Amino acid sequence: MITANQLRAARAILSIDQRQTAELAGLSVPTIQRMEASDGVIRANVDSLMKLVSALENAGIELINPGVPSMAGGRGVRLREHVAKPEPVRQPKASSARALERAR
């Protein structure tokens, strides 16, 4: 689970905008905007949520959820140490996808 506040905080820690977040997760900018406009826990399809959380984790973000040991309790976000620079998800071009299909 991730909240809209955690998403905004994660972007701030990484110093990235909504467009860059969308590229990292392989999602559209309107999807990221809808997620951030959510009230509380983000409601989206499971695939989109998994892409987002995975992209944030690959970028070094650790999501802190309720019940996880922390000094003050509650939800949060922190940056792990020693994180490589994240790469955006690359969508195959239509011609590349067709070439892959032919190769199979």
Side-chain angles (χ1 to χ4, degrees):
M1 298 289 225
I2 180 173
T3 66
N5 287 339
Q6 283 176 305
L7 175 52
R8 286 189 294 274
R11 283 196 315 101
I13 288 171
L14 295 172
S15 298
I16 59 175
D17 60 20
Q18 290 178 334
R19 181 190 54 77
Q20 292 166 309
T21 304
E23 287 175 5
L24 285 176
L27 299 170
S28 68
V29 174
T31 297
I32 298 298
Q33 291 170 336
R34 279 192 301 276
M35 288 177 168
E36 287 193 5
S38 297
D39 187 25
V41 175
I42 293 173
R43 294 189 191 346
N45 71 52
V46 174
D47 185 51
S48 294
L49 284 172
M50 295 302 292
K51 286 179 178 181
L52 175 66
V53 170
S54 178
L56 292 175
E57 288 175 348
N58 289 339
I61 293 295
E62 182 179 344
L63 299 172
I64 304 166
N65 291 311
V68 175
S70 68
M71 298 283 285
R75 291 184 181 271
V77 177
R78 69 176 153 224
L79 185 62
R80 290 189 320 266
E81 291 183 302
H82 310 293
V83 179
K85 184 174 171 152
E87 293 293 326
V89 173
R90 304 232 186 264
Q91 300 297 333
K93 295 179 182 175
S95 60
S96 303
R98 279 185 250 137
L100 286 173
E101 284 298 318
R102 278 187 253 134
R104 290 183 190 169

